[in-house]
Amino acid sequence: MIVKEQFRRGPALGREPHYLPAAIYNRSRLLLAHSDTGCVFVPIRNLQYQAVIDHEEIIFVDGIGPRVVQVAWEGFRPQTRQGLDEPVPYDRVTYHPDAREIEPRLQG
């Protein structure tokens, strides 16, 4: 069964360069490689969030409220790393004022 979800995205409040630990990036690519639909939905229960992984970005949506994107990790540049165990640079785009507070917990 295929379920379609639609998410809203407001204007970006900020964009900052960051690094994603290799283990998280590599795991996200493995999950995506096993997907038949080109995207993966991952619940983050302790935050009440849902991560949506596709080939271009990872978005984080509040799992309780309306389907509004809070944070997006985009512009992954894995080709810049020398080995699979090195972090991957990306851009963190925030769409909600409280998004900066949850960022450390998203990578945890």
Side-chain angles (χ1 to χ4, degrees), residues 81-108:
R81 60 185 181 168
Q82 300 297 314
L84 293 176
D85 60 341
E86 293 183 10
V88 176
Y90 72 97
D91 295 320
R92 179 185 72 194
V93 183
T94 55
Y95 295 96
H96 191 276
D98 297 335
R100 298 184 101 190
E101 295 174 17
I102 65 155
E103 178 70 21
R105 294 176 63 196
L106 289 174
Q107 286 194 19

Short mmCIF file of all heavy atoms in Angstrom, two decimals, residues 81-108:
data_model
loop_
_atom_site.label_atom_id
_atom_site.label_comp_id
_atom_site.label_asym_id
_atom_site.label_seq_id
_atom_site.Cartn_x
_atom_site.Cartn_y
_atom_site.Cartn_z
N ARG A 81 34.48 14.18 1.18
CA ARG A 81 35.18 13.43 2.22
C ARG A 81 36.15 12.43 1.59
O ARG A 81 35.96 11.96 0.48
CB ARG A 81 34.20 12.75 3.17
CG ARG A 81 33.26 11.76 2.52
CD ARG A 81 32.26 11.24 3.53
NE ARG A 81 31.37 10.28 2.90
CZ ARG A 81 30.55 9.49 3.57
NH1 ARG A 81 30.49 9.56 4.88
NH2 ARG A 81 29.77 8.65 2.92
N GLN A 82 37.19 12.12 2.34
CA GLN A 82 38.24 11.21 1.87
C GLN A 82 37.91 9.75 2.14
O GLN A 82 38.45 8.87 1.46
CB GLN A 82 39.57 11.57 2.53
CG GLN A 82 40.04 12.98 2.24
CD GLN A 82 40.31 13.19 0.75
OE1 GLN A 82 40.96 12.36 0.12
NE2 GLN A 82 39.80 14.28 0.21
N GLY A 83 37.04 9.49 3.12
CA GLY A 83 36.70 8.11 3.46
C GLY A 83 35.27 8.03 3.96
O GLY A 83 34.67 9.04 4.34
N LEU A 84 34.73 6.84 3.99
CA LEU A 84 33.35 6.63 4.42
C LEU A 84 33.13 6.90 5.90
O LEU A 84 31.99 7.04 6.34
CB LEU A 84 32.90 5.21 4.10
CG LEU A 84 32.77 4.87 2.62
CD1 LEU A 84 32.41 3.40 2.44
CD2 LEU A 84 31.74 5.76 1.96
N ASP A 85 34.20 7.02 6.66
CA ASP A 85 34.07 7.26 8.09
C ASP A 85 34.18 8.75 8.46
O ASP A 85 34.16 9.11 9.62
CB ASP A 85 35.10 6.46 8.86
CG ASP A 85 36.53 6.80 8.46
OD1 ASP A 85 36.73 7.38 7.37
OD2 ASP A 85 37.45 6.49 9.24
N GLU A 86 34.27 9.61 7.45
CA GLU A 86 34.37 11.06 7.71
C GLU A 86 32.99 11.70 7.62
O GLU A 86 32.13 11.25 6.86
CB GLU A 86 35.30 11.71 6.69
CG GLU A 86 36.74 11.28 6.85
CD GLU A 86 37.66 11.99 5.88
OE1 GLU A 86 37.23 12.95 5.21
OE2 GLU A 86 38.82 11.57 5.81
N PRO A 87 32.76 12.78 8.38
CA PRO A 87 31.45 13.46 8.34
C PRO A 87 31.19 14.09 6.97
O PRO A 87 32.11 14.35 6.20
CB PRO A 87 31.57 14.53 9.43
CG PRO A 87 33.01 14.68 9.70
CD PRO A 87 33.69 13.41 9.30
N VAL A 88 29.91 14.30 6.71
CA VAL A 88 29.47 14.83 5.41
C VAL A 88 28.95 16.26 5.61
O VAL A 88 28.07 16.49 6.44
CB VAL A 88 28.35 13.95 4.82
CG1 VAL A 88 27.81 14.54 3.53
CG2 VAL A 88 28.87 12.54 4.59
N PRO A 89 29.50 17.22 4.85
CA PRO A 89 28.98 18.58 4.97
C PRO A 89 27.58 18.70 4.35
O PRO A 89 27.26 18.02 3.36
CB PRO A 89 29.99 19.42 4.19
CG PRO A 89 30.79 18.49 3.38
CD PRO A 89 30.62 17.12 3.93
N TYR A 90 26.76 19.55 4.95
CA TYR A 90 25.41 19.81 4.46
C TYR A 90 24.99 21.18 4.94
O TYR A 90 25.66 21.82 5.75
CB TYR A 90 24.42 18.73 4.92
CG TYR A 90 24.09 18.80 6.40
CD1 TYR A 90 22.93 19.45 6.83
CD2 TYR A 90 24.90 18.22 7.36
CE1 TYR A 90 22.62 19.52 8.19
CE2 TYR A 90 24.59 18.28 8.69
CZ TYR A 90 23.45 18.93 9.11
OH TYR A 90 23.14 19.00 10.44
N ASP A 91 23.85 21.65 4.44
CA ASP A 91 23.27 22.91 4.88
C ASP A 91 22.03 22.62 5.72
O ASP A 91 21.16 21.87 5.29
CB ASP A 91 22.87 23.79 3.69
CG ASP A 91 24.07 24.21 2.87
OD1 ASP A 91 25.11 24.52 3.47
OD2 ASP A 91 23.97 24.23 1.63
N ARG A 92 21.98 23.23 6.90
CA ARG A 92 20.79 23.11 7.74
C ARG A 92 19.93 24.33 7.50
O ARG A 92 20.37 25.46 7.67
CB ARG A 92 21.16 23.04 9.21
CG ARG A 92 19.90 22.94 10.09
CD ARG A 92 20.21 23.00 11.54
NE ARG A 92 20.59 24.36 11.88
CZ ARG A 92 21.17 24.71 13.01
NH1 ARG A 92 21.49 23.80 13.89
NH2 ARG A 92 21.47 25.95 13.26
N VAL A 93 18.70 24.09 7.07
CA VAL A 93 17.75 25.17 6.80
C VAL A 93 16.66 25.07 7.86
O VAL A 93 16.03 24.02 8.01
CB VAL A 93 17.14 25.05 5.39
CG1 VAL A 93 16.22 26.22 5.11
CG2 VAL A 93 18.24 24.98 4.34
N THR A 94 16.45 26.16 8.59
CA THR A 94 15.41 26.17 9.62
C THR A 94 14.18 26.91 9.12
O THR A 94 14.29 27.93 8.44
CB THR A 94 15.92 26.83 10.92
OG1 THR A 94 16.41 28.13 10.63
CG2 THR A 94 17.02 26.01 11.55
N TYR A 95 13.03 26.35 9.45
CA TYR A 95 11.75 26.93 9.05
C TYR A 95 10.88 27.31 10.23
O TYR A 95 9.80 27.84 10.06
CB TYR A 95 10.99 25.95 8.16
CG TYR A 95 11.68 25.67 6.86
CD1 TYR A 95 12.50 24.56 6.70
CD2 TYR A 95 11.54 26.54 5.79
CE1 TYR A 95 13.16 24.32 5.51
CE2 TYR A 95 12.20 26.30 4.60
CZ TYR A 95 13.00 25.19 4.46
OH TYR A 95 13.65 24.97 3.29
N HIS A 96 11.35 26.99 11.43
CA HIS A 96 10.57 27.26 12.64
C HIS A 96 11.51 27.84 13.69
O HIS A 96 12.65 27.39 13.82
CB HIS A 96 9.93 25.96 13.14
CG HIS A 96 8.92 26.17 14.20
ND1 HIS A 96 9.26 26.30 15.53
CD2 HIS A 96 7.57 26.30 14.14
CE1 HIS A 96 8.16 26.48 16.24
NE2 HIS A 96 7.12 26.49 15.43
N PRO A 97 11.07 28.85 14.45
CA PRO A 97 11.96 29.48 15.43
C PRO A 97 12.54 28.52 16.47
O PRO A 97 13.65 28.73 16.95
CB PRO A 97 11.07 30.53 16.11
CG PRO A 97 9.90 30.72 15.23
CD PRO A 97 9.75 29.48 14.41
N ASP A 98 11.82 27.48 16.83
CA ASP A 98 12.30 26.53 17.84
C ASP A 98 13.19 25.44 17.26
O ASP A 98 13.70 24.60 18.00
CB ASP A 98 11.12 25.88 18.56
CG ASP A 98 10.27 26.88 19.31
OD1 ASP A 98 10.83 27.95 19.68
OD2 ASP A 98 9.09 26.61 19.53
N ALA A 99 13.39 25.44 15.96
CA ALA A 99 14.12 24.36 15.31
C ALA A 99 15.57 24.27 15.78
O ALA A 99 16.13 23.17 15.87
CB ALA A 99 14.08 24.53 13.80
N ARG A 100 16.19 25.37 16.12
CA ARG A 100 17.59 25.35 16.56
C ARG A 100 17.74 24.59 17.87
O ARG A 100 18.78 24.01 18.14
CB ARG A 100 18.12 26.76 16.70
CG ARG A 100 18.10 27.51 15.39
CD ARG A 100 18.72 28.84 15.55
NE ARG A 100 20.07 28.69 15.01
CZ ARG A 100 21.00 29.57 15.13
NH1 ARG A 100 20.78 30.67 15.79
NH2 ARG A 100 22.19 29.37 14.61
N GLU A 101 16.71 24.60 18.70
CA GLU A 101 16.78 23.92 19.99
C GLU A 101 16.81 22.40 19.85
O GLU A 101 17.43 21.72 20.66
CB GLU A 101 15.60 24.33 20.85
CG GLU A 101 15.60 25.78 21.24
CD GLU A 101 14.32 26.18 21.97
OE1 GLU A 101 13.60 25.30 22.46
OE2 GLU A 101 14.06 27.39 22.02
N ILE A 102 16.15 21.87 18.84
CA ILE A 102 16.09 20.42 18.69
C ILE A 102 17.22 19.86 17.86
O ILE A 102 17.44 18.65 17.85
CB ILE A 102 14.74 19.96 18.10
CG1 ILE A 102 14.58 20.46 16.68
CG2 ILE A 102 13.59 20.34 18.98
CD1 ILE A 102 13.65 19.63 15.86
N GLU A 103 17.94 20.70 17.15
CA GLU A 103 18.99 20.23 16.24
C GLU A 103 19.98 19.27 16.90
O GLU A 103 20.26 18.20 16.35
CB GLU A 103 19.73 21.42 15.62
CG GLU A 103 20.86 21.03 14.70
CD GLU A 103 20.41 20.40 13.40
OE1 GLU A 103 19.25 20.60 13.01
OE2 GLU A 103 21.22 19.70 12.79
N PRO A 104 20.54 19.60 18.07
CA PRO A 104 21.49 18.65 18.67
C PRO A 104 20.85 17.28 18.96
O PRO A 104 21.50 16.25 18.85
CB PRO A 104 21.92 19.34 19.97
CG PRO A 104 21.61 20.77 19.77
CD PRO A 104 20.42 20.82 18.85
N ARG A 105 19.60 17.28 19.29
CA ARG A 105 18.90 16.03 19.59
C ARG A 105 18.58 15.24 18.33
O ARG A 105 18.48 14.01 18.37
CB ARG A 105 17.63 16.31 20.39
CG ARG A 105 17.98 16.88 21.78
CD ARG A 105 16.76 17.27 22.55
NE ARG A 105 15.91 16.12 22.81
CZ ARG A 105 14.66 16.24 23.21
NH1 ARG A 105 14.11 17.42 23.39
NH2 ARG A 105 13.93 15.16 23.43
N LEU A 106 18.44 15.91 17.20
CA LEU A 106 18.16 15.21 15.95
C LEU A 106 19.36 14.34 15.54
O LEU A 106 19.19 13.24 15.05
CB LEU A 106 17.83 16.19 14.83
CG LEU A 106 16.49 16.90 14.94
CD1 LEU A 106 16.35 17.95 13.83
CD2 LEU A 106 15.33 15.92 14.88
N GLN A 107 20.54 14.87 15.71
CA GLN A 107 21.73 14.09 15.36
C GLN A 107 22.05 13.03 16.40
O GLN A 107 22.76 12.09 16.12
CB GLN A 107 22.94 15.00 15.15
CG GLN A 107 22.87 15.77 13.88
CD GLN A 107 24.19 16.41 13.50
OE1 GLN A 107 25.24 16.03 13.98
NE2 GLN A 107 24.12 17.38 12.63
N GLY A 108 21.52 13.20 17.61
CA GLY A 108 21.77 12.22 18.68
C GLY A 108 20.96 10.98 18.48
O GLY A 108 21.28 9.90 18.86
#
